[in-house]
Amino acid sequence: MSEIEISIAGGESAAFAAGTTVQETVKALCSSKERKKILAVKMGDKALDVTASLDQSGHLTPITMESAEGLALLRHSAAHVMAQAVVDLFGDDVKVAIGPATADGFYYDFDRPQPFTPDDFAAIEKRMQEIAAQRLPFARQTMARQDALAFFKERNQQYKVELLEDLTDEEEISLYSLGAFVDLCRGPHIPHTGFLQAFKIMRLAGAYWRGDENRPMLQRLYGTAFFDAKALKQYLHQIEEAKKRDHRKLGKELELFTINEQVGPGLILWLPKGALIRKLIEDYWRSEHYDNDYELLYTPHIAKRDLWATSGHLDFYVDDMFSAMDVDGVDYQLKPMNCPFHIGIYTSKKRSYREFPIRWCELGTVYRYERTGALQGLMRVRGFTQDDAHIFVRPEQLETEIFNILALNLHILATFGFTEYDVYLSTRPDKYVGSDENWEKATNALKSALEKKGLKYEVDPGEGVFYGPKIDIKIKDVLGRSWQCSTIQVDFNLPERFALKYTGEDGKEHQPIMIHRALMGSLERFFGVLIEHYAGAFPLWMAPVQTVILNITDNQLPYAEDVYARLRKVGVRVTKDLRNEKLNFKIREAQMAKIPYMIIVGDKEMETDMVTVRLKNGKNLAPMPVAEFAELINRESKMSQGLEG
């Protein structure tokens, strides 16, 4: 029998007989402690079960319990266990579809005449626990595709049959069995069900087969799984905390925004308090851009459809655009992007190399078609305002400008309280425009700027936009959740499509490079993230109401009105609650509204022209003059924005 040479990360290499299993090589090359954590391995790009036989030399990279791949493996295996439990409990007439791992758990789709109920959840979990306790191996077998078709047809599993009918390029099919339950799957899986110790079924949803609304509606059971009970408990706590922070719930309770079906789904109506926060955000954004040498633009909401043909959006983006409208026999289009308008401004006159870089910014509202089922509060909408900017640079300015954009980006995010993020460099997709040479130049410039800024990043292969590579920054909120907000994109394509030129120092015409850039992404989505990050209790500089005046009796009404007028005159965002209600009731109302400061006025305050200040945590400050309180608000507001130490 021939020999093969196997090495493993963290261990030594050794010779083995061809056909030796992964498990046997791991036993020889790793310590007992290390072996207990290994769920599967990778040889090159191929993932293998521990029971897989090795017939060629190579290097093994363990997939361990501590890794993200290991957790995904556990969750994929948990989906199989859940499917087995459902079939065990509800019979062979249950049709099983697909069951992948997801970012935070797993799901499996079932076709069953009766709907699942919460009582069923408990029964399924109990059966899963019984399967886990049996430590059943995930046994892999292969068979010819035609044999696999016959196998699932005999069991009346039409969804598996349809999947197999699409695998025309596959001659050999892999199946995994857990006891009597057999599933179609590429694998790999955890060695046995005993690794599944901490899991929970989370919810039920409907899902069309293969996402096609003309196909059967299946029941999708979502679950999650972890390697230990502590991690599961922490995750469930986070889920409950996320529910309390849900921007849709708080947006309604705090009267920040609303969506009206008569107006249209996915179209946000900003209520007075939310609109005031938006103004504060916009004012800060404009101020920072002015300080960083940007110029402000305003552009229309529609343009001739031909513009989007020239830009390439009709070729690459048409499914995300609203239908055209006829105006005097000419097709017009709601804008999905601001960039062609900024190009229109660029071409309004001849440009010289002396003008560069040209930095233009706009809070531009765009419109994109989202399916009704995908809409979600402020996070997925049909009309939204981008904090957009387009910078035109000469080639030698590209890297420096990207570095400057990164610096401004991180500064603005920090002001809003976001200092943790994941950074991704997205490279050329399969469908793209422009030369390979330009793509390489742009990618290298982005990479160099990231490295000079000292930012750790991951390469996201093939996730660039069709016209160029990009940097994506995903901010992390207080619960550790990631949100896509910032993006920096290099574009050689649009300057070429629109034949943009500038006169160089040599007197000849040259083509500029265009940088697309959004720091917050969209105001709507960013506002939704802010609501959840702060649970609606915004920093003082962003709070729509910084203080509320509460009178004790009607005797103080004139004085309360006077204090209100004085504070409003010096810029304090103040409201008043002068209802004929008990003071404690009004204090509770103010706390529920998450108002940072409360001003209490009684006879004593009226007589001394003072105010008593109560913090939202229940602490009272010593009585102070109205002017001193205004100074306190101003000082604390600046500190909350990071403007004063």
Side-chain angles (χ1 to χ4, degrees):
M1 184 178 291
S2 61
E3 285 193 342
I4 56 175
E5 187 79 15
I6 300 295
S7 62
I8 192 164
E12 299 180 355
S13 63
F16 297 91
T20 301
T21 66
V22 169
Q23 197 166 34
E24 289 168 336
T25 61
V26 166
K27 184 176 181 180
L29 296 173
C30 299
S31 68
S32 174
K33 183 178 180 181
E34 290 170 330
R35 291 199 302 269
K36 290 178 180 179
K37 299 177 181 179
I38 296 176
L39 305 172
V41 299
K42 292 179 76 172
M43 178 179 275
D45 294 331
K46 187 176 182 181
L48 302 171
D49 296 292
V50 294
T51 55
S53 298
L54 300 173
D55 56 10
Q56 60 183 7
S57 299
H59 179 75
L60 303 181
T61 302
I63 299 175
T64 66
M65 296 170 66
E66 288 94 348
S67 68
E69 284 182 292
L71 185 58
L73 208 65
L74 176 78
R75 289 168 171 175
H76 183 198
S77 300
H80 279 240
V81 173
M82 181 170 70
Q84 181 192 356
V86 168
V87 171
D88 287 350
L89 290 169
F90 302 106
D92 292 335
D93 60 335
V94 174
K95 306 298 185 296
V96 293
I98 57 172
T102 64
D104 55 3
F106 60 89
Y107 69 78
Y108 212 110
D109 290 342
F110 301 96
D111 188 345
R112 177 175 177 248
Q114 297 82 21
F116 290 108
T117 68
D119 288 340
D120 293 332
F121 287 14
I124 296 168
E125 286 181 357
K126 182 181 178 183
R127 179 60 188 140
M128 289 176 70
Q129 288 166 351
E130 292 169 353
I131 295 168
Q134 295 176 46
R135 298 170 64 88
L136 294 176
F138 282 84
R140 187 177 191 269
Q141 60 179 307
T142 60
M143 62 175 65
R145 189 173 73 90
Q146 291 302 320
D147 292 339
L149 274 167
F151 178 87
F152 284 107
K153 282 180 180 178
E154 183 181 345
R155 285 156 180 77
N156 199 26
Q157 293 291 340
Q158 71 262 29
Y159 299 105
K160 302 297 181 183
V161 170
E162 184 177 329
L163 291 172
L164 283 166
E165 287 174 341
D166 289 344
L167 296 175
T168 54
D169 295 336
E170 304 281 345
E171 293 184 5
E172 191 174 68
I173 300 298
S174 62
L175 308 176
Y176 280 82
S177 60
L178 277 174
F181 178 72
V182 182
D183 205 351
L184 174 67
C185 185
R186 292 185 185 275
H189 283 281
I190 56 179
H192 57 76
T193 58
F195 284 90
L196 189 60
Q197 295 294 315
F199 57 88
K200 186 171 181 62
I201 297 175
M202 303 298 295
R203 59 191 175 93
L204 172 69
Y208 290 110
W209 171 235
R210 292 192 155 183
D212 185 345
E213 59 191 21
N214 297 312
R215 305 297 300 276
M217 171 68 80
L218 306 179
Q219 297 187 69
R220 176 169 292 178
L221 280 178
Y222 283 93
T224 193
F226 293 87
F227 284 106
D228 62 81
K230 183 179 178 181
L232 175 62
K233 184 178 180 181
Q234 183 179 358
Y235 174 77
L236 295 177
H237 172 74
Q238 187 182 55
I239 292 294
E240 289 304 311
E241 187 63 28
K243 288 179 182 178
K244 296 175 189 175
R245 293 169 177 265
D246 191 313
H247 74 280
R248 294 164 294 186
K249 171 179 174 286
L250 291 174
K252 182 177 181 179
E253 292 174 357
L254 301 177
E255 299 181 348
L256 300 174
F257 71 93
T258 190
I259 299 171
N260 186 298
E261 286 302 314
Q262 192 171 16
V263 172
L267 302 173
I268 303 302
L269 303 176
W270 294 73
L271 302 179
K273 290 178 182 177
L276 181 52
I277 297 174
R278 174 170 172 161
K279 177 188 179 300
L280 295 166
I281 293 171
E282 289 185 359
D283 288 349
Y284 166 71
W285 184 89
R286 291 189 179 96
S287 174
E288 286 294 329
H289 281 74
Y290 180 82
D291 290 345
N292 283 271
D293 205 23
Y294 283 75
E295 295 176 298
L296 187 67
L297 302 180
Y298 291 97
T299 59
H301 291 239
I302 63 171
K304 290 182 178 179
R305 191 170 172 86
D306 287 348
L307 178 70
W308 310 106
T310 302
S311 70
H313 286 94
L314 288 183
D315 294 328
F316 293 89
Y317 212 76
V318 67
D319 291 341
D320 297 305
M321 299 168 69
F322 280 97
S323 302
M325 62 185 86
D326 183 288
V327 180
D328 297 331
V330 178
D331 280 346
Y332 278 75
Q333 184 78 48
L334 277 170
K335 66 174 178 180
M337 306 281 188
N338 299 302
C339 28
F341 295 87
H342 292 194
I343 287 174
I345 294 171
Y346 182 95
T347 59
S348 64
K349 70 172 189 177
K350 285 190 172 183
R351 303 287 172 180
S352 165
Y353 73 95
R354 297 179 185 274
E355 299 177 58
F356 288 75
I358 297 171
R359 303 182 183 98
W360 287 334
C361 63
E362 177 184 12
L363 292 166
T365 301
V366 299
Y367 303 89
R368 300 179 188 173
Y369 173 68
E370 293 275 4
R371 289 182 176 271
T372 302
L375 298 174
Q376 184 197 5
L378 293 168
M379 303 305 186
R380 294 290 291 271
V381 295
R382 288 177 172 168
F384 56 92
T385 301
Q386 287 183 307
D387 70 314
D388 219 347
H390 295 96
I391 300 101
F392 299 89
V393 298
R394 305 195 306 268
E396 65 271 18
Q397 297 171 323
L398 179 59
E399 185 182 314
T400 299
E401 195 61 30
I402 294 169
F403 181 90
N404 292 338
I405 292 169
L406 285 169
L408 176 62
N409 197 341
L410 300 185
H411 167 68
I412 286 179
L413 291 178
T415 301
F416 287 105
F418 300 111
T419 56
E420 294 186 16
Y421 26 73
D422 294 318
V423 182
Y424 298 88
L425 175 61
S426 301
T427 58
R428 186 176 62 207
D430 293 333
K431 192 176 181 182
Y432 67 95
V433 294
S435 70
D436 291 349
E437 181 184 2
N438 281 341
W439 272 86
E440 186 176 355
K441 286 180 182 177
T443 303
N444 287 338
L446 292 169
K447 186 184 299 183
S448 180
L450 284 168
E451 291 170 355
K452 286 184 178 179
K453 189 62 184 168
L455 291 174
K456 294 181 180 178
Y457 65 92
E458 291 183 32
V459 175
D460 205 355
E463 290 303 312
V465 285
F466 71 88
Y467 51 75
K470 62 176 180 169
I471 293 170
D472 286 324
I473 299 178
K474 297 183 180 180
I475 59 177
K476 291 188 176 181
D477 67 12
V478 71
L479 296 182
R481 299 173 299 176
S482 293
W483 302 93
Q484 172 62 57
C485 289
S486 310
T487 186
I488 304 167
Q489 305 169 359
V490 178
D491 186 357
F492 292 93
N493 174 58
L494 285 183
E496 186 175 321
R497 281 179 171 266
F498 285 93
L500 302 187
K501 302 294 181 185
Y502 68 90
T503 303
E505 193 172 4
D506 58 2
K508 297 178 182 179
E509 286 192 334
H510 300 269
Q511 184 172 291
I513 300 170
M514 188 176 181
I515 304 173
H516 306 252
R517 186 237 68 188
L519 307 184
M520 294 182 285
S522 81
L523 293 186
E524 286 74 8
R525 181 179 174 82
F526 193 71
F527 186 42
V529 175
L530 284 171
I531 293 171
E532 299 202 5
H533 181 63
Y534 289 110
F538 301 102
L540 192 60
W541 79 271
M542 265 196 299
V545 178
Q546 295 173 319
T547 187
V548 58
I549 300 171
L550 309 175
N551 63 316
I552 296 176
T553 69
D554 287 350
N555 190 43
Q556 299 94 39
L557 287 176
Y559 180 63
E561 293 283 5
D562 177 61
V563 171
Y564 172 80
R566 280 191 273 171
L567 290 174
R568 193 174 175 87
K569 188 174 182 179
V570 295
V572 176
R573 296 191 292 278
V574 58
T575 188
K576 52 194 174 184
D577 184 351
L578 307 181
R579 294 174 296 171
N580 186 19
E581 299 282 358
K582 291 182 177 180
L583 179 62
N584 284 340
F585 173 80
K586 293 195 283 188
I587 288 172
R588 283 195 300 274
E589 292 266 294
Q591 289 173 329
M592 291 293 292
K594 302 184 186 293
I595 298 174
Y597 291 92
M598 288 162 264
I599 292 176
I600 313 296
V601 293
D603 288 339
K604 184 178 179 181
E605 286 79 11
M606 181 173 63
E607 292 168 2
T608 58
D609 194 18
M610 305 277 273
V611 292
T612 294
V613 180
R614 181 185 176 90
L615 308 181
K616 62 183 177 183
N617 63 9
K619 179 183 177 182
N620 287 331
L621 303 182
M624 64 183 73
V626 175
E628 184 178 332
F629 175 70
E631 290 175 5
L632 169 69
I633 289 286
N634 182 55
R635 182 173 63 255
E636 294 292 331
S637 182
K638 287 182 178 179
M639 288 182 65
S640 72
Q641 196 176 0
L643 299 180
E644 287 186 2

